[in-house]
Amino acid sequence: MGLTKKYEAIIGLEVHIQLQTRSKAFCGDSTLFGSTPNSQTSTISLAHPGTLPRPNKKQIEYAIILGLALNCEINQQSYFDRKHYFYADLPKGFQTTQNSQPICKGGEVTFETDQGLKTIRLHHIHMEEDAGKSLHEIDPTFTYIDLNRAGIPLLEMVTEPDFRTANEVYHFINELRRLVRYLDISDGNMEEGSLRCDCNISVRLQGQETLNARCEVKNINSARFARKAIEFEIGRQMGLMEDGHEIKQETREFNPDQGITTALRSKEDAHDYRYFPEPDILPLHISEGYITGVRNAMPSLPAFYRQLLINQYGLAPDDVEIIIDTQARVENFRMFLDRNEKIPPKLAANFFINKWFPSEEAEEISKGLDFKIIAQFLQLIEDKKITTSIAYQKIWPILIKQPQDVLELCQKLNLMQTSDTDTIESMAQQVLDENPRQLGQYINGKKGIITFFMGQLMKISEGKANPEIARETFEKLLGK
Ligand code: MN
């Protein structure tokens, strides 16, 4: 029996989402990324004695937006806690976070995977602040500290251990990144650390009810790395169990160059962070009216568009995922279909996915190219006035650079599709006359050779022959 059939992995995540507020969580310092080290550090970021923090309205609003988007229960009475630990880049000696009363409880995330839709439950989402940055590589003997990041507002999302494969985690992180961008609460840039992920992984025998010890892989900043780290970790733990070893609970880190995880420290079960309510910030009371106001201002979500494109337009899930990747894409696509009801959604989807999005991303599209011209272009394909291959290979490259009337262009370049049966029949006859060997093969039962004849005919017609009529003509001539 294969190991993956014998064992099952149990995976839960803690994701830190950096919010795109202009100021920090508890003071007015700027949150701009990449500024001169320690230039965004007032006395509050530096934790001078006697300074008082003030909560950031935007952080609270963003927490509620995310909570509503994921069907969480919004906790109308919540407060901040102090979480104590000692570290050089944490000047206060504690992190201001939420512990016993987080702002959002429960909720769920549904996302597309290779095996269809998957839903995982959330335990909660809480508000907190980031620590500063320790820079170990600048000097061989000293560590440098940059406190620009200290106090930047974060949301921490804690999932239930509902993931079973590394791939599910990969798709989940991509969905989450997409969601925070739709909601406009975070830039979702993983390279800049705007989404960071801790993965808790344990492995047990299929059918086993209890959980084995888990390992936590810290601070992963890419969906691909998360998938790799988890795959490695599942393999490592299965290997140990096969050899009769016990898994030790520990914190590990992922090395992207080697694709492996290594032990950082063994973990005693409960850290003593000496949590207690933050005495310098009043508890938060969030009114029903405020929540309703936030709810009414929410944009449409990826899940809404996913349903719409599949159910109303009948598109394939793989295509839909590409179209809903950004709100701009899906909104443009919808607007196009609304204005051009005669163009089949599938034809439009193919065009947008294969031509429009890539060209737009590469900034190849000339400013004058508008949806009226695109509609004319697709309508000519739909009406079989031009073939798809001519449209994409010859006409589209011209339109990108020089937007113009598509019909006139096709006529000028003599690219209109030929549906004239007499012309096609004479070309088909020519193909058969010129290829007696293949004709013989066809007569001897090799019916697939008709594809060859079609290819030859397309060559003679320079791609302009209507393929359906051409095929019918061959079938007629060959006496199907
Ligand atoms: Mn945290």
Side-chain angles (χ1 to χ4, degrees):
M1 182 160 54
L3 288 188
T4 46
K5 288 236 170 72
K6 183 170 168 190
Y7 292 99
E8 148 179 84
I10 313 290
I11 306 157
L13 302 181
E14 289 160 31
V15 189
H16 286 93
I17 303 159
Q18 187 180 312
L19 299 175
Q20 54 185 18
T21 57
R22 286 172 58 206
S23 58
K24 289 188 182 177
F26 302 109
C27 67
D29 290 348
S30 168
T31 56
L32 205 67
F33 182 81
S35 307
T36 312
N38 298 308
S39 63
Q40 292 157 190
T41 49
S42 64
T43 49
I44 290 185
S45 288
L46 298 173
H48 284 199
T51 53
L52 284 174
R54 283 171 304 167
N56 183 328
K57 216 171 152 184
K58 276 284 167 198
Q59 179 173 28
I60 298 164
E61 182 189 330
Y62 287 174
I64 295 171
I65 287 176
L66 186 62
L68 290 175
L70 298 175
N71 294 321
C72 301
E73 178 200 332
I74 307 300
N75 197 352
Q76 290 179 253
Q77 318 285 333
S78 82
Y79 54 83
F80 287 100
D81 294 280
R82 292 185 176 184
K83 178 185 183 181
H84 298 83
Y85 59 97
F86 178 79
Y87 210 78
D89 54 28
L90 187 75
K92 291 193 291 193
F94 60 84
Q95 179 190 33
T96 306
T97 180
Q98 294 191 297
N99 183 40
S100 52
Q101 289 298 328
I103 189 154
C104 305
K105 292 176 170 173
E108 64 200 20
V109 184
T110 298
F111 52 100
E112 186 72 52
T113 73
D114 312 343
Q115 267 86 45
L117 289 178
K118 164 100 185 173
T119 296
I120 62 104
R121 295 165 301 151
L122 299 178
H123 184 269
H124 74 267
I125 301 170
H126 70 252
M127 298 185 284
E128 60 182 35
E129 60 177 334
D130 213 342
K133 230 186 214 164
S134 296
L135 307 159
H136 305 288
E137 268 107 51
I138 296 179
D139 191 283
T141 41
F142 291 96
T143 291
Y144 283 62
I145 306 280
D146 177 8
L147 293 175
N148 280 354
R149 207 180 63 183
I152 292 214
L154 305 174
L155 297 180
E156 179 174 338
M157 171 188 284
V158 180
T159 79
E160 297 289 355
D162 289 349
F163 299 95
R164 292 292 173 271
T165 67
N167 215 29
E168 287 173 2
V169 172
Y170 171 80
H171 288 292
F172 170 83
I173 294 174
N174 285 332
E175 179 74 10
L176 187 59
R177 181 175 52 182
R178 179 189 279 166
L179 180 69
V180 298
R181 287 176 173 171
Y182 268 68
L183 296 172
D184 209 17
I185 62 172
S186 167
D187 62 25
N189 284 337
M190 299 199 75
E191 320 74 51
E192 293 177 6
S194 297
L195 278 185
R196 304 193 296 265
C197 186
D198 302 337
C199 310
N200 289 291
I201 306 140
S202 71
V203 162
R204 67 180 173 192
L205 288 169
Q206 289 281 3
Q208 182 185 328
E209 304 252 315
T210 54
L211 290 169
N212 293 331
R214 63 192 159 83
C215 291
E216 182 178 19
V217 187
K218 277 281 193 197
N219 251 329
I220 297 180
N221 68 346
S222 116
R224 267 188 318 115
F225 289 170
R227 179 163 64 186
K228 266 197 158 168
I230 293 169
E231 271 167 5
F232 176 85
E233 197 50 30
I234 292 172
R236 188 185 70 86
Q237 293 185 22
M238 285 192 308
L240 283 171
M241 288 176 70
E242 279 293 292
D243 293 344
H245 298 295
E246 218 168 88
I247 311 290
K248 279 186 304 210
Q249 183 176 337
E250 59 191 7
T251 303
R252 302 177 68 85
E253 73 181 336
F254 178 63
N255 180 327
D257 297 329
Q258 296 171 50
I260 60 169
T261 68
T262 47
L264 263 182
R265 54 182 179 268
S266 69
K267 196 167 176 179
E268 302 79 43
D269 223 341
H271 284 274
D272 186 4
Y273 290 119
R274 290 179 296 125
Y275 279 107
F276 65 75
E278 165 62 61
D280 288 340
I281 303 175
L282 288 170
L284 303 170
H285 297 280
I286 298 162
S287 70
E288 200 65 60
Y290 182 77
I291 297 172
T292 306
V294 172
R295 193 193 296 276
N296 290 342
M298 296 266 286
S300 299
L301 304 180
F304 163 80
Y305 289 116
R306 183 179 284 127
Q307 286 296 316
L308 182 88
L309 295 188
I310 290 176
N311 296 338
Q312 189 174 325
Y313 296 123
L315 298 178
D318 284 354
D319 290 349
V320 169
E321 290 306 301
I322 298 171
I323 296 170
I324 68 172
D325 195 44
T326 68
Q327 202 166 19
R329 278 187 179 186
V330 71
E331 280 298 341
N332 279 331
F333 181 71
R334 269 187 81 191
M335 188 167 69
F336 180 82
L337 286 184
D338 281 351
R339 288 185 193 165
N340 300 287
E341 285 170 3
K342 278 190 277 174
I343 294 174
K346 178 73 191 151
L347 177 67
N350 274 341
F351 165 75
F352 274 84
I353 290 168
N354 295 309
K355 294 292 165 187
W356 183 268
F357 298 148
S359 309
E360 201 180 35
E361 220 153 78
E363 292 178 21
E364 285 169 1
I365 297 174
S366 154
K367 277 228 165 70
L369 188 56
D370 59 24
F371 279 0
K372 269 196 195 129
I373 296 176
I374 300 307
Q376 196 191 10
F377 173 77
L378 291 178
Q379 196 65 55
L380 285 170
I381 299 176
E382 171 61 11
D383 296 343
K384 306 218 160 34
K385 301 250 171 61
I386 49 178
T387 64
T388 309
S389 65
I390 285 203
Y392 278 4
Q393 283 159 28
K394 298 204 170 146
I395 301 170
W396 175 244
I398 299 174
L399 285 183
I400 282 187
K401 294 199 182 74
Q402 276 179 305
Q404 56 193 289
D405 187 277
V406 191
L407 186 61
E408 277 172 24
L409 175 68
C410 295
Q411 283 163 343
K412 197 171 73 191
L413 298 178
N414 192 22
L415 293 174
M416 300 297 284
Q417 174 163 289
T418 308
S419 296
D420 179 57
T421 44
D422 290 345
T423 314
I424 292 177
E425 185 165 336
S426 81
M427 288 192 279
Q429 193 58 58
Q430 185 190 339
V431 169
L432 296 180
D433 292 345
E434 285 172 358
N435 297 284
R437 196 165 56 83
Q438 284 81 357
L439 181 59
Q441 288 174 332
Y442 182 88
I443 292 165
N444 285 327
K446 201 173 165 195
K447 302 294 179 202
I449 205 97
I450 197 164
T451 320
F452 168 80
F453 296 140
M454 287 287 290
Q456 293 301 304
L457 188 140
M458 282 302 166
K459 230 184 239 171
I460 295 175
S461 73
E462 295 174 311
K464 287 181 288 188
N466 179 320
E468 278 164 43
I469 296 179
R471 181 170 284 274
E472 282 164 19
T473 308
F474 276 121
E475 284 168 355
K476 192 182 84 181
L477 290 176
L478 295 165
K480 178 195 167 186

